[in-house]
Amino acid sequence: MADQKEQETSVFTEEVIKEVIFRVHRFSPDDGKPPRMQDYKVPVKRGMTVLDGLHYIRDNLDSTLSYRFSCRMAICGSCGMFINNLPRLACKTQILELEADTIEVKPLPNYEVIKDLVPDLSDFFEKHRSVMPYLIREEEEEKIDPPTNEFLQTPDELERFLQFAYCTKCGLCLAGCPTVATDKVFLGPMALAQAFRYNSDTRDQGFEKRLELLCVPEGPWRCHFAGSCSEVCPKGVDPALGVQLLKGQIVFTKLGLKKPHKIAPLATEKPEAKRRPGIPEAPPRTVKKE
Amino acid sequence: MANGTISKPENRLGIVGWFYAGSFSFERYAYILHRITGLGILLYFLLHIFGSSARISGQSSWESLMHFLGKPIFVAGEYLVFIAFCFHAMNGIRLILGELGFSIGKPGRPVYPYRISLNRQRPLLVVFMIIAVIFILLGGYDFFIAGH
Amino acid sequence: MREPTLWILHILAGIIILIFLGIHMGIMHLDTILTSLGVGYKNPLSWSSVLIRNKALFFTITYILLLGAALYHGFYGLRNILFELSLGKSAQKAVNWLLFFVGLFLFIYGGYAAIAAYVI
Ligand code: SF4
Ligand code: FES
C-alpha cells in the first residue's frame, strides 16, 4: 500500500526534470522574412508531450507561434509535425521519450507551409476525395442516403478492411513517402489504402468505378514498398499493406485469378426494436432534404 | 508578392527525400539502393549490347576488345555490376513477393503495439540479404582470387 | 487501364531475368567455382567458348529472350524514376515514346547480333 502511494506520487510529479531547447520552424507569409529556426527553452515535466511544449512556448514565451491541434489525444490527426527527424503527432510524442536535449520541430515535409508549423493539407484531402472513399451500391433502392435498412456483414468480412478505417487523415504517411517527395500527383499511401478499404468492403460495389481512377500512372504503381508510411503511421493503419494488397487486388482480378468479393445483402426485415419508455424522440432535422 | 508577402514554401523534400528523410528502417534504404543498382545495371547492359556484338566481326576484333576490357579498372567495374546484380536480384524477389501481397500478412485489428507489414516481411529481407552477400563473396573469389 | 499491365509485365520480365541472367552470371563470373563442381567451362570469354555459345540454339534463344526482358525491365524502371519527378502529361508521353523507340532499336540491333552469330 505504501509502495503504491510512492509510485503514484512519482508518476504524477510536477517537478521539472530537465530543460530542453525547442528549435522551432518559423515562417509567416506576411512578414517578408524567409523561413528560419528559432530556439526556445522549455522546462520539461514527466508526461509532457511535444504539443504541451508548444503550448508552453505559446503561453509563456511567444504568442505568435502557430500550430494546428485539436483533440490532443491522437484522434483528430491535426498535429502532425516533423519532430526530430520523423513525421509524428506532437500530442502522441513524449518529450522525454525522444531522449534529446534539442527538439527540432518543423512542419510536415512534402506539404506547402501556411505558417510556422501549419502545413497545407488541401491536396491531401483532394487526393482522398478522388478515390471515391464511400460505399457505392448499384441498385437504386439500396442507395445509402437515406438509409432504408442495414447491410449484413460478418465479423470476418469486417476485419478485412477495419484496420484501414482507423485512419485519422493526419497526413504523416505522405510526409514519409519517398515518392511523394518528388511526385506531386501520386495519390499517396493514405488515399490508396482508403481505396483498398472501400474495394474490400462487402457492402461496396464500386470496384470497377475505382479501377478507372487507380489504373493511371499516379496510382499504386508509383509505390515501391519502402514502407516508410507504415513506419510513421500513428494509428497502426499500415497504409503500405493496403497499397500492396490493392496492387494485388487489381492485377489478380484483371488476370481472373481473384473473384470479386461477395456483396453484402440488404437486411430484409427491419429489426423489431421498440423505443424504451422515457426516451425522448429525436429532434426534427435541421437541414431540409430536397 | 506585391505587398512583401512570400509565397508558401513548398517544403517538398525532392530527390534528397529518396535518399534520406529521417530515421527509417533498412527497407527505405533498400528502396534507394534498388534504384541506384538498377540504373547502374541498365547503363552497363546498354554498353554490353554493343560490346558483345563484337563477336560477329570475328575472332581478332573480339579478342582485342577482351584484351582492352581485361584491365583491372574494368574488372573492378564489372565486379561492382556483379554486386549490384546480386543485391537487385535478391531484393527484387523480396519486392515481388511483398508487392503482390504474399509476405506482408493480412489486415487485422490494430492493437497496440502495432505490428505492421514491414515487420512481417523483415525475416525475408534478412534471408535474401544473406544470400546476396554469399553470392557477392563467391563472385569476389572468382573475380580476384581464382583467376582472370 | 494500361498501367497494371505494364507493371505485371515488369514483374514477369524480372523473373525471366532472374533465371537467365542468373545462368549467364554463373557461367561468366562463377566459372572457376562451377567448373570445380563439374558444371560450366573454364575461360568463358575465350574465342573458343564464344564460338560454342554462338552455335548453341539454347544460347541464341535465351539471349534474345533475355535481351527483350532486360530492355523492358530496365526501361520500365527508368520510366518509373522519370515519372516520379512530377512530369507533366506531355512529358510523360514523350518519355514513353522515346523509351519505346530506343528499346526497339536496341532489341533489333542486339537480336540481329545474336542471330548473325548463330548463322555465320
Ligand atoms: S494512414 Fe496513418 S499516417 Fe496516413 S493519414 Fe491515415 S492515420 Fe495518418
Ligand atoms: S491534437 Fe489531435 S491528433 Fe494530436
Side-chain angles (χ1 to χ4, degrees):
Chain A
M1 199 55 205
D3 244 34
Q4 203 185 341
K5 253 248 159 76
E6 216 170 67
Q7 241 181 11
E8 266 171 31
T9 45
S10 66
V11 167
F12 296 109
T13 174
E14 279 291 293
E15 115 197 48
V16 173
I17 293 175
K18 68 171 180 181
E19 193 169 74
V20 297
I21 309 276
F22 264 60
R23 187 157 293 160
V24 183
H25 176 274
R26 301 302 311 272
F27 164 77
S28 169
D30 27 49
D31 67 2
K33 286 191 229 153
R36 63 210 166 272
M37 301 301 283
Q38 193 170 341
D39 283 5
Y40 302 96
K41 280 199 186 113
V42 175
V44 181
K45 296 171 190 165
R46 198 181 290 277
M48 232 171 116
T49 62
V50 172
L51 186 66
D52 293 330
L54 293 174
H55 287 333
Y56 177 87
I57 296 171
R58 189 199 51 187
D59 293 347
N60 302 296
L61 306 174
D62 187 343
S63 57
T64 63
L65 182 66
S66 301
Y67 49 97
R68 196 188 272 138
F69 74 98
S70 173
C71 69
R72 47 110 188 92
M73 50 193 269
I75 291 294
C76 71
S78 306
C79 65
M81 294 170 198
F82 198 63
I83 301 167
N84 279 12
N85 265 331
L86 273 185
R88 316 180 208 238
L89 291 182
C91 68
K92 195 172 177 267
T93 307
Q94 297 273 322
I95 296 176
L96 292 176
E97 218 175 56
L98 290 172
E99 287 174 355
D101 294 326
T102 311
I103 315 281
E104 207 179 49
V105 192
K106 296 189 203 162
L108 281 183
N110 302 342
Y111 299 98
E112 290 181 344
V113 184
I114 296 175
K115 192 172 182 285
D116 295 342
L117 297 170
V118 185
D120 185 351
L121 298 180
S122 34
D123 264 4
F124 170 74
F125 294 133
E126 198 41 60
K127 286 171 179 173
H128 180 222
R129 215 168 281 136
S130 76
V131 299
M132 307 179 135
Y134 38 80
L135 296 181
I136 300 172
R137 291 294 286 203
E138 275 164 9
E139 289 86 0
E140 198 59 32
E141 66 269 26
E142 287 179 0
K143 280 274 165 65
I144 338 259
D145 196 21
T148 45
N149 212 342
E150 62 203 300
F151 296 114
L152 299 176
Q153 187 168 55
T154 66
D156 273 355
E157 291 168 344
L158 173 69
E159 285 208 355
R160 274 185 234 160
F161 66 83
L162 178 67
Q163 138 169 27
F164 305 109
Y166 275 60
C167 171
T168 63
K169 318 292 177 294
C170 65
L172 298 196
C173 44
L174 272 77
C177 174
T179 301
V180 179
T182 51
D183 192 339
K184 288 180 193 151
V185 286
F186 172 45
L187 288 171
M190 182 279 279
L192 293 173
Q194 291 313 305
F196 178 76
R197 175 245 176 277
Y198 283 96
N199 280 347
S200 323
D201 191 328
T202 51
R203 297 167 297 176
D204 178 85
Q205 291 177 295
F207 182 66
E208 291 294 326
K209 279 198 184 124
R210 268 180 223 111
L211 203 56
E212 273 167 48
L213 306 167
L214 296 169
C215 293
V216 291
E218 57 270 28
W221 333 106
R222 294 275 77 79
C223 165
H224 311 294
F225 198 26
S228 305
C229 52
S230 296
E231 273 191 87
V232 298
C233 176
K235 303 308 287 181
V237 170
D238 198 353
L241 176 67
V243 182
Q244 313 320 312
L245 293 180
L246 178 67
K247 286 191 260 193
Q249 187 181 52
I250 292 175
V251 165
F252 291 137
T253 312
K254 276 180 81 87
L255 292 175
L257 298 173
K258 191 174 187 299
K259 282 188 230 89
H261 61 66
K262 85 180 229 298
I263 303 298
L266 201 64
T268 42
E269 283 165 32
K270 293 235 179 198
E272 283 233 358
K274 277 212 191 85
R275 184 171 291 275
R276 267 190 275 156
I279 296 184
E281 288 286 332
R285 287 185 91 116
T286 47
V287 180
K288 281 272 170 307
K289 292 224 115 196
E290 61 292 353
Chain B
M1 293 255 169
N3 50 5
T5 57
I6 297 185
S7 61
K8 287 193 255 177
E10 176 147 17
N11 201 24
R12 212 170 271 281
L13 288 171
I15 292 184
V16 177
W18 292 359
F19 290 85
Y20 182 80
S23 344
F24 289 109
S25 313
F26 184 74
E27 282 79 359
R28 177 65 175 261
Y29 303 98
Y31 151 89
I32 186 61
L33 277 177
H34 203 74
R35 216 154 244 219
I36 295 169
T37 53
L39 285 175
I41 296 166
L42 180 62
L43 182 67
Y44 174 85
F45 174 58
L46 297 183
L47 299 173
H48 184 19
I49 294 178
F50 293 102
S52 49
S53 297
R55 72 188 190 276
I56 55 173
S57 2
Q59 180 169 7
S60 62
S61 66
W62 174 261
E63 276 170 353
S64 67
L65 180 68
M66 284 308 115
H67 180 72
F68 175 68
L69 294 179
K71 288 182 193 157
I73 170 104
F74 288 117
V75 176
E78 240 184 334
Y79 184 53
L80 274 186
V81 176
F82 184 82
I83 294 177
F85 168 70
C86 292
F87 172 81
H88 199 90
M90 291 305 131
N91 193 46
I93 304 177
R94 172 186 75 92
L95 285 176
I96 291 176
L97 292 175
E99 293 195 35
L100 289 174
F102 291 119
S103 56
I104 50 177
K106 285 202 176 80
R109 286 176 186 268
V111 180
Y112 204 82
Y114 306 130
R115 243 179 89 74
I116 55 174
S117 51
L118 224 50
N119 307 123
R120 294 194 205 107
Q121 58 84 57
R122 183 142 314 133
L124 213 61
L125 175 80
V126 174
V127 169
F128 280 123
M129 286 303 109
I130 291 174
I131 299 176
V133 168
I134 291 174
F135 276 116
I136 289 169
L137 292 178
L138 288 178
Y141 169 77
D142 215 288
F143 263 86
F144 300 112
I145 301 172
H148 290 280
Chain C
M1 284 294 154
R2 208 174 42 172
E3 288 306 313
T5 317
L6 295 182
W7 183 70
I8 200 72
L9 283 177
H10 180 65
I11 289 182
L12 290 178
I15 295 171
I16 292 174
I17 295 167
L18 184 73
I19 297 166
F20 292 110
L21 190 54
I23 297 175
H24 180 69
M25 285 289 193
I27 291 175
M28 292 297 167
H29 298 307
L30 299 177
D31 47 309
T32 30
I33 295 164
L34 288 182
T35 39
S36 69
L37 294 175
V39 276
Y41 39 80
K42 277 220 174 306
N43 290 333
L45 287 174
S46 70
W47 180 246
S48 54
S49 25
V50 169
L51 273 185
I52 296 173
R53 288 197 301 271
N54 278 352
K55 297 297 168 208
L57 196 59
F58 170 78
F59 281 105
T60 309
I61 292 175
T62 54
Y63 276 161
I64 294 176
L65 188 66
L66 188 55
L67 176 72
L71 280 172
Y72 178 79
H73 190 87
F75 280 174
Y76 179 86
L78 183 60
R79 175 182 179 267
N80 268 348
I81 296 176
L82 293 175
F83 272 33
E84 280 160 30
L85 296 170
S86 291
L87 294 190
K89 282 278 170 249
S90 50
Q92 286 188 351
K93 271 223 176 81
V95 166
N96 283 343
W97 284 111
L98 186 73
L99 291 181
F100 176 73
F101 281 117
V102 174
L104 194 66
F105 166 74
L106 289 170
F107 183 69
I108 292 172
Y109 177 76
Y112 162 75
I115 293 173
Y118 179 72
V119 189
I120 293 169

